[in-house]
Amino acid sequence: QVQLVESGGGLVQAGGSLRLSCTASGSFLSTYYMAWFRQAPGKERDFVATINWLGTNTVYADSVKGRFTLSRDNAKNTVYLQMNSLKPEDTAVYSCAATRKAASSNYWEYGYWGQGTQVTVSS
């Protein structure tokens, strides 16, 4: 069983950048597909991006394509979400998730979740 811990959230001005990290313990991250989701107050949880085992294939939500980059370092048991050109509408709690089934944009496909990290983008 894997435990996930996110870090790197914070307050940033519009146009700025942040890098989120998701570090796993209890299991080797290399055996899991990983993803990031986000949830703004009063809204549903939205898919952000997903990455395969080797980090050779990534899928992004249209809303973040070209601005966010998802990568992984299996040797460090860590997944990174580089977020550039941030917009106020990116404000949300960002959570990483893991599954052994397959990469998916559906949150219910992921059985392991971190506690989330707050990202706030001011205008």
Side-chain angles (χ1 to χ4, degrees), residues 5 25 36 61 65 76 95 102 106 117 120:
V5 177
S25 61
W36 285 90
K65 201 172 295 182
K76 295 183 178 180
S95 299
N106 300 316
T117 185
T120 303

Side-chain angles (χ1 to χ4, degrees), residues 37-120:
F37 290 81
R38 66 186 183 184
Q39 188 166 20
K43 295 188 177 182
E44 294 186 350
R45 189 180 307 179
D46 287 336
F47 167 74
V48 176
T50 187
I51 191 166
N52 67 346
W53 289 359
L54 294 177
T56 55
N57 187 43
T58 52
V59 177
Y60 298 93
D62 289 342
S63 59
V64 306
K65 201 172 295 182
R67 300 187 298 123
F68 290 12
T69 302
L70 180 57
S71 62
R72 65 192 300 161
D73 185 340
N74 288 335
K76 295 183 178 180
N77 253 15
T78 300
V79 173
Y80 304 99
L81 183 67
Q82 178 66 44
M83 307 186 296
N84 298 329
S85 302
L86 282 162
K87 305 175 181 180
E89 51 263 43
D90 293 319
T91 296
V93 174
Y94 285 70
S95 299
C96 68
T99 182
R100 279 180 163 159
K101 296 179 181 179
S104 172
S105 61
N106 300 316
Y107 69 86
W108 57 86
E109 301 282 4
Y110 294 82
Y112 304 98
W113 291 83
Q115 82 289 349
T117 185
Q118 177 70 47
V119 171
T120 303

